[in-house]
Amino acid sequence: MNKVIGTGVSRKDGRAKVTGTATYAAEHQIPDLVHGYLVTATIANGQIQSIDTRAAEKAPGVIAVFTHKNVPKMFMPTNDFMTTKIYEARLPLSDDKVHYAGQIVGLVVADTFERARDAAHLVKVEYTTQQPLVDFKKATFKEAPPQMGEELKFEKGNVAAGVASATPKIEATYTTSTELHAPMEPHAIIAHWQDDKSLTVYEPSQWVLASQRTYAELFGLPTERVRVVTPFLGGAFGCKAFPWPHSVLCAAAARKLQRPLKVVLSRRQMTMNTGHRSETEQTIRLGATADGSLTLIDHEVKSSTSPVDVFTEPCTSITPVMYATPNLRLKQELAKMNIGTPTFMRAPGENPGLWALESAMDELAWALKIDPVELRLKNEAKEHQRKGLPFSAKHFADCLRVGAEQFGWQDRPKQPRSLTRDGKLVGWGMAAATFPGLRGAASVKVRLLPDGTAHVLTAGNDMGTGAYTVVAATAAEALGLPVEEVRVELGDSLLPDGGIAGGSMMTASLVPAVMSACQQVLKNAKAKTAQEAFATLSQSGRAAYEATASSAPGAEAKKWAFQSWGAHFCEVSIDEEIGRLQVTRWVSVMDIGRVINTKTAASQVRGGVIMGIGQALMEECHLDPNIGYPVVYDLATYHFPAHADIPRIQVTFVGEPDLNFNPGGVRGVGEIGITGVSAAIANAVYHATGKRIRDLPITPDKLL
């Protein structure tokens, strides 16, 4: 038996990335290429009074300057999440209004990047300004509209009665700061038209076929006349799923000029132009009986969106799955502010939602004098309380017990400020992790070639999570080949639709399709293994054996609720004199169904934990209250973890294949690792200091 699944396979794309042969969007070499540079608003609310482009137009190498006065033609797409989608429901340069600082107000095109950038600074814009609303505390919040077709509010039982019967009660408000997307690869696009009738786009896209459909609608083209090429993404986390205004404008300008055009955003431009995680304010009310049985969970959330689109940070989506209670109420409110449009960011909703819920559960455990692990075990939900469906292949309790054992949780001192080391306070904390099991439709082509190799092709792609490796490992085991003999091609709209690299669903979507295509190609070759097929290929008169297969969700979602589970345990060391906090030890245990590749799966959990440590301790974006512009503007001023901030992260997987979910029994792992991390750290801080911090990030001033 060729055992590959479940082992630690090294990345198929690793060598290409470390040697520089992996080609990212801005690196494609196109003859006759010209360069664009954005002109962005320096105010957050107002109107363009005048825009003077004469100096820019006369600058060396300048080819064109586009503003709202000469905007190239484009059409508004359907803008439905499942068909076509742009991140802002407003076309770029569509009028003279300014809705947020950093909004695109012009595009300068020149023969070199440097000349385009220089000329962009020569464009003079005068504004009629109004006071921007950029202070979350001053915003007006209203009930949030449904998101992706689902109502955000929900209630079961009698919340008022739950409050009356609860002893004790916990009521607290938890906040998170605005977090910026900061992928290694900045946003970039090359748009290349052929005779005004066909468009090729080189752009980091998490959903290649959706981008293809969107660009087709934007420019009135048949879908087959648009090609989107994304073989590699340098990180995305949710901010590269759909075209942003700079991409739409680049493609429109390239068509007008009939020249291939490249636009690369600066880090400053990315702060407001390419999405972020909204700050949140969450109020949690928990009620319980003296033995720790929950009688009430009440979860209210406030988040913000921009004037040009609606995006709610869905923090309450996680609450019905975690802990059973007879009385449950969920409420989401939203305010429009003069900010760029927020968007999906690793575990959108689940991450900040668990920050609040898992902090509140820790507070309840201390109030009841019950171990936090035992409180969670006692109240574990057996079904999704909103869907009314039982969970499939759930091993949350195993995550808690295995994690506690590995960490040595039984030795935890029962009083705050009771553990010291080298003159510093030491604290232990824990929190649960979870993320829904999601999958979409995916198609894959498999070819067996005369040189004894297999070729797997799909438009699904790899944003750094390991899809090249997972696809290769799955095909290798199904075909009976060494992984080295499997070649994988991803991220091109000419290939079969592989779905979206988002929602932790790429692996769960692709693996069943790869398995099915491999079975079909062997059937076509009348062989049991690829080696048998290769033996008959030369006599068959064919260039290759090939098969295309698809996989999609079915009726299983009506029978089961699918969810991945985990638990984090951590130790922190705090020097109160200088407010210095160090995370010194970390254990994560995860239940994600079948683990296809232990090496890349553990890497994803570690990446999520690192990102969560950044959220917990340092990530925040402040806006200038007068002009609404971010006061952080690059990778130096926006703080995130460095190597010195991160301890060794021990990752263990438990559970079983979730065969109710898909034929591979596999759920995703990209997002679960970040959920619960910030709460585990704050809970450890309380254990160390006796101080309950409810506002992220936990900066030194809050520890002094």
Side-chain angles (χ1 to χ4, degrees), residues 434-450:
T434 191
F435 194 80
L438 304 174
R439 71 182 279 223
S443 299
V444 170
K445 176 181 285 188
V446 173
R447 307 183 76 226
L448 301 180
L449 304 173

Side-chain angles (χ1 to χ4, degrees), residues 159 163-164 166 168-174 281-288 296-300 329 356-357 359-364 367 692 694:
V159 172
V163 171
K169 306 179 185 71
I170 296 293
E171 179 172 350
T173 298
Y174 306 87
E281 179 183 293
Q282 303 178 63
T283 299
I284 297 266
R285 298 175 186 87
L286 298 181
L296 161 74
I297 303 177
D298 189 11
H299 192 175
E300 297 183 10
R329 187 171 73 100
L357 181 59
S359 294
M361 285 292 286
D362 196 70
E363 295 202 44
L364 181 62
R692 180 63 66 178
R694 302 185 181 96

Side-chain angles (χ1 to χ4, degrees), residues 84 106 122 128 160 217 232 247 315 335 338 351 377 397 463 522 527-528 559 571 583 585 591 659 679:
T84 66
L122 299 177
T128 302
E217 279 202 7
F232 296 98
S247 302
C315 300
N338 293 114
N351 174 25
L377 287 169
M463 58 176 174
L522 292 176
K528 293 182 179 179
K559 301 177 182 177
E571 177 185 89
V583 181
R585 197 154 61 94
D591 162 30
L659 296 173

